[in-house]
Amino acid sequence: MVATHDRQGAPIWTHMSHSWKINYHTVRSVVQSIRRLDKLLAVA
């Protein structure tokens, strides 16, 4: 088990998941946009 807080309860790593979440959600939104635009172009 990895400790994420010190003995006083303060977070040890406040940046623990932010950088990968930002990249993940940015790429995911671009992929979703491309798929939706492709669907719109196929209908038009």
Side-chain angles (χ1 to χ4, degrees):
M1 183 175 189
V2 176
T4 57
H5 293 79
D6 64 16
R7 291 183 183 187
Q8 289 74 34
I12 294 172
W13 299 305
T14 56
H15 65 281
M16 200 166 190
S17 62
H18 295 293
S19 62
W20 77 262
K21 281 185 181 180
I22 292 168
N23 292 330
Y24 169 80
H25 288 293
T26 301
V27 171
R28 183 174 181 268
S29 68
V30 170
V31 169
Q32 293 274 331
S33 297
I34 291 169
R35 288 180 181 167
R36 290 177 185 180
L37 288 169
D38 283 344
K39 285 181 183 179
L40 287 172
L41 290 172
V43 172

